[in-house]
Amino acid sequence: MTGRPELEAALEAVLFVAADPVPRQRLLDLFDEGDREEAAQALEAVLARYAPAEGRGVAAEEVAGGVRLVTRPELAPYLRRFFEAAGESKLSVAALETLAIVAYRQPITAPEIQELRSVNPAAVLKTLLERRMVRITGRKEVVGKPFLYGTTREFLMHFGLNHVRDLPPLEELEEALRDG
Amino acid sequence: MTGRPELEAALEAVLFVAADPVPRQRLLDLFDEGDREEAAQALEAVLARYAPAEGRGVAAEEVAGGVRLVTRPELAPYLRRFFEAAGESKLSVAALETLAIVAYRQPITAPEIQELRSVNPAAVLKTLLERRMVRITGRKEVVGKPFLYGTTREFLMHFGLNHVRDLPPLEELEEALRDG
Amino acid sequence: MSESLLPPGWKVHLPVFEGPLDLLLHLVKVNQVEITDIPVATICDQFHEYLRLMEELNLDIAGEYIYEASLLIHLKSKMLLPRPATVEGEPAEDPRQELVERLLEYRRLKAAAQTLAETDRLRLGVFTRKPQPRPGPEEGEEIELGEVSLFDLLGAFKQVLVRYDREHPPPFLVSPEVWSVRAQFERYLGELSPSRPFDLLADLRRRSGRAEAIAAFLAVLELARLNLVRLHQTEAGEVLLYRTTRDWSRADIEAVGA
């Protein structure tokens, strides 16, 4: 049996070194069978320790089916200054519109995207593929077998989503837009 | 004037992201002149927060003229286990290239793969066999009767394809993503 | 194209649209009308006016705009026709229906894009620790297997081919006359005998390259045409050459192009 403090310490250390979100189960699998129940509680305790709070710079987030530690967005100016990072988005309006179409209507083909935006999406899709926001998920079984596109884990991570179904419903967004 | 909680949060965030030791002065330079005295105190508070303690996996250490956050050495076995498990679900560039060669040139022998990559593919093929991306499809009727390798059902499912002939030719993707 | 009213090099800031649907949404907004009740004639004219302006400014007009403009003209003409009689009081289908649906869907997706843009801006301020080098022998960059897509696979294959070509530059071209068909013709005459089978494929493989192999192959065809060799294919797929009993003469060699 591993003591509770060691379980918590190990979990914190692993979350600290893991750059990518780690699925909960993978964290628990680090321990012996007999310790997993206790480890699950230890994990919740560690995550509670990293709840966003005043004076704290790091917080735990659930994203892309896992948990990870990230800096809190309010601190962006300090981090940008220190790491000399640019704060500008690399996604153009065209890229964001195409990404939204892929995200909400996936899996979707290029001709179907063109139908929705009335603009040839080839160049933008290439950018999104290169930036790993979008991936080819297969081919559609219609004439010409066009590629099907969907979003990636990178997309979920970047937009802080746990799953594609966590995207806000389109209807809600439109209402917010009408009110605004 | 920046509030004490914000100073502490910013310092914690920067220490978290920076992998290398940061000189104290560089940390304090993040803030306006008027805030530096307070920031120095905030830094001590953050470092105290990361004093080695039971149940904590991360600690602050002073090295070579700077401070940094590191995992506590006692937890190394857990980290090793974590990285090993993480490695199992990853593909190196060598493995990906070899997989691509097998996919596009199947059935193909190890010497033929070596001809294309100039590297003995034995170790990488073993990995790909273990990941069930590649299988032995037979033997080539030449001297030494080397094994022939091809892709698996799992490979097709992973890439959303029904058949090996659905693999896009090099030009197809380029054409699909060419504008206009 | 109409003559530009502006001096050459003059730049005017024209609102930039993300395509014809974006322009249409803009026109709906500035005209303060509902998407569901678009005054087609007005919108159609303004759409064309915008294209005309772009033309005047020597801006490239994407084909998508021209296509949409033609759809609008078609719709405008349809609106002028009397609607077919309604069945049992049901309202006849509005010819604008399809356009309305496209615009509503596009507006929804634009709202989604705006939300993504806001999240994108916010999330750019979220930092994670850089991936630490993993202890162990594994070298170089790695990709999560679950994340590898066709795009990566193709990219990897292209990489292999590019590197292969770089490491295997094509051999210096041998001047073609060195591998004349006639020289190959003479070589075969010297090597073949009526009693001993001669493995053609093995012989072709021994040639220095494609150019010589082609010359050799053409020579064999000439030899067969002049009835100087007999070709025999075995069940195993080998091609065997035998010299026939016919004697060759200088004229035979001279009949072969150099």
Side-chain angles (χ1 to χ4, degrees):
Chain A
M1 286 287 281
T2 315
R4 173 69 174 263
E6 188 172 333
L7 294 174
E8 290 189 14
L11 286 163
E12 188 181 33
V14 167
L15 284 173
F16 177 77
V17 294
D20 272 0
V22 192
R24 278 187 150 79
Q25 192 53 51
R26 200 188 267 183
L27 287 170
L28 301 183
D29 286 347
L30 287 172
F31 306 101
D32 297 336
E33 199 93 42
D35 287 330
R36 296 216 180 126
E37 209 169 306
E38 181 86 11
Q41 290 173 35
L43 177 56
E44 294 318 309
V46 171
L47 294 180
R49 217 187 268 169
Y50 283 95
E54 217 195 35
R56 299 300 311 268
V58 182
E61 72 171 9
E62 302 248 9
V63 80
V67 286
R68 68 169 174 186
L69 300 181
V70 293
T71 62
R72 295 174 53 208
E74 306 90 280
L75 304 166
Y78 297 103
L79 291 158
R80 279 197 197 114
R81 202 174 308 154
F82 190 84
F83 295 101
E84 288 168 9
E88 284 141 52
S89 172
K90 294 186 201 101
L91 294 170
S92 64
V93 176
L96 284 162
E97 284 190 11
T98 307
L99 189 55
I101 291 173
V102 174
Y104 279 93
R105 298 285 183 249
Q106 61 189 309
I108 188 169
T109 65
E112 289 162 350
I113 296 171
Q114 170 144 12
E115 183 83 6
L116 286 168
R117 271 193 85 226
S118 297
V119 176
N120 182 344
V124 173
L125 275 175
K126 188 160 178 250
T127 311
L128 291 172
L129 280 166
E130 280 162 0
R131 302 213 43 213
R132 304 187 77 81
M133 288 282 140
V134 150
R135 55 176 285 177
I136 296 170
T137 61
R139 286 170 178 274
K140 188 160 181 168
E141 290 297 327
V142 295
V143 180
K145 293 204 177 182
F147 294 123
L148 284 165
Y149 297 89
T151 50
T152 59
R153 184 157 168 270
E154 187 69 35
F155 167 81
L156 292 177
M157 272 159 42
H158 181 72
F159 288 96
L161 298 165
N162 212 1
H163 194 277
V164 176
R165 50 170 187 268
D166 295 337
L167 280 167
L170 273 184
E171 299 70 36
E172 252 173 49
L173 294 177
E174 220 200 349
E175 264 163 46
L177 191 80
R178 203 170 295 155
D179 297 342
Chain B
M1 283 288 280
T2 314
R4 174 69 175 262
E6 188 171 329
L7 296 173
E8 290 189 14
L11 287 164
E12 186 181 31
V14 168
L15 283 172
F16 170 76
V17 179
D20 299 322
V22 190
R24 277 188 152 79
Q25 193 52 51
R26 251 197 93 199
L27 286 169
L28 301 183
D29 286 348
L30 273 174
F31 307 100
D32 296 337
E33 201 90 45
D35 286 329
R36 297 222 178 122
E37 207 169 310
E38 179 88 10
Q41 289 173 37
L43 177 57
E44 294 317 311
V46 170
L47 295 178
R49 216 188 269 170
Y50 282 95
E54 219 196 28
R56 299 302 310 267
V58 182
E61 70 171 14
E62 300 253 3
V63 280
V67 285
R68 68 169 171 189
L69 300 181
V70 289
T71 57
R72 294 175 53 206
E74 310 90 276
L75 302 167
Y78 293 102
L79 296 176
R80 210 171 302 130
R81 209 173 302 160
F82 171 75
F83 281 122
E84 263 166 33
E88 276 164 25
S89 66
K90 290 194 169 172
L91 276 190
S92 64
V93 172
L96 182 60
E97 288 189 0
T98 306
L99 182 59
I101 292 172
V102 172
Y104 278 94
R105 291 284 153 89
Q106 60 188 303
I108 188 170
T109 66
E112 289 163 348
I113 296 170
Q114 175 150 3
E115 164 75 16
L116 276 169
R117 278 201 75 235
S118 313
V119 179
N120 184 341
V124 171
L125 278 172
K126 186 165 168 272
T127 311
L128 291 172
L129 284 165
E130 281 165 5
R131 306 272 159 85
R132 303 175 68 87
M133 287 282 121
V134 153
R135 69 193 174 99
I136 293 168
T137 60
R139 283 171 178 276
K140 187 157 181 171
E141 292 296 330
V142 295
V143 179
K145 293 208 173 186
F147 287 125
L148 284 165
Y149 295 89
T151 51
T152 60
R153 262 210 74 69
E154 279 89 342
F155 167 86
L156 289 177
M157 275 160 60
H158 180 95
F159 289 101
L161 302 171
N162 282 330
H163 197 279
V164 172
R165 62 170 175 263
D166 289 342
L167 272 170
L170 276 182
E171 314 77 49
E172 184 186 347
L173 187 67
E174 275 162 22
E175 260 161 44
L177 299 175
R178 188 171 306 141
D179 208 358
Chain C
M1 181 169 294
S2 65
E3 208 171 300
S4 178
L5 304 171
L6 297 161
W10 181 260
K11 279 189 180 158
V12 170
H13 191 74
L14 204 62
V16 177
F17 295 103
E18 290 296 328
L21 288 180
D22 198 26
L23 170 55
L24 276 174
L25 273 189
H26 172 78
L27 294 177
V28 165
K29 201 168 138 198
V30 296
N31 284 289
Q32 296 185 314
V33 293
E34 288 293 319
I35 286 182
T36 46
D37 191 21
I38 295 173
V40 175
T42 314
I43 298 287
C44 180
D45 292 347
Q46 290 175 353
F47 193 96
H48 279 86
E49 180 61 20
Y50 180 82
L51 294 198
R52 201 188 54 73
L53 199 59
M54 278 172 81
E55 204 174 48
E56 224 157 73
L57 296 171
N58 286 319
L59 296 173
D60 281 339
I61 301 173
E64 295 114 22
Y65 284 90
I66 294 163
Y67 177 72
E68 194 68 43
S70 70
L71 288 183
L72 284 171
I73 291 179
H74 182 65
L75 184 59
K76 186 174 159 187
S77 66
K78 252 169 127 179
M79 294 296 286
L80 297 172
L81 296 173
R83 309 265 177 100
T86 59
V87 184
E88 295 185 12
E90 268 182 45
E93 205 196 311
D94 190 328
R96 296 173 297 183
Q97 192 56 32
E98 201 195 323
L99 178 66
V100 168
E101 275 162 22
R102 281 171 65 216
L103 281 174
L104 285 175
E105 176 75 352
Y106 181 66
R107 193 173 67 174
R108 269 194 289 276
L109 289 163
K110 230 177 147 47
Q114 258 175 44
T115 313
L116 284 184
E118 281 157 27
T119 315
D120 178 45
R121 213 168 304 129
L122 185 71
R123 297 286 299 182
L124 277 175
V126 173
F127 287 64
T128 60
R129 294 191 83 229
K130 284 174 220 60
Q132 304 298 295
R134 194 154 66 78
E138 199 59 58
E139 80 298 334
E141 204 187 326
E142 292 187 315
I143 308 173
E144 190 75 26
L145 179 56
E147 282 298 286
V148 176
S149 79
L150 267 183
F151 190 64
D152 302 313
L153 195 72
L154 258 171
F157 189 52
K158 201 170 158 188
Q159 188 58 42
V160 169
L161 296 182
V162 166
R163 202 173 45 223
Y164 182 84
D165 285 346
R166 203 173 48 221
E167 288 168 6
H168 300 78
F172 290 112
L173 286 179
V174 180
S175 43
E177 61 271 25
V178 174
W179 307 122
S180 74
V181 177
R182 190 184 286 180
Q184 296 295 326
F185 187 91
E186 285 184 284
R187 181 174 67 79
Y188 280 122
L189 283 176
E191 286 184 29
L192 296 179
S193 94
S195 53
R196 191 161 40 82
F198 182 93
D199 187 340
L200 175 62
L201 296 182
D203 178 74
L204 289 178
R205 272 195 293 272
R206 280 196 299 272
R207 295 307 105 214
S208 66
R210 260 166 99 93
E212 191 189 356
I214 290 168
F217 185 66
L218 291 174
V220 170
L221 292 182
E222 279 298 296
L223 286 162
R225 188 180 65 80
L226 295 167
N227 200 22
L228 287 168
V229 301
R230 205 156 42 77
L231 288 148
H232 174 71
Q233 181 159 28
T234 67
E235 274 179 33
E238 291 169 309
V239 178
L240 302 178
L241 286 184
Y242 295 91
R243 179 73 174 81
T244 58
T245 47
R246 176 166 127 47
D247 283 335
W248 59 272
S249 66
R250 210 63 233 164
D252 287 325
I253 294 178
E254 264 144 33
V256 180

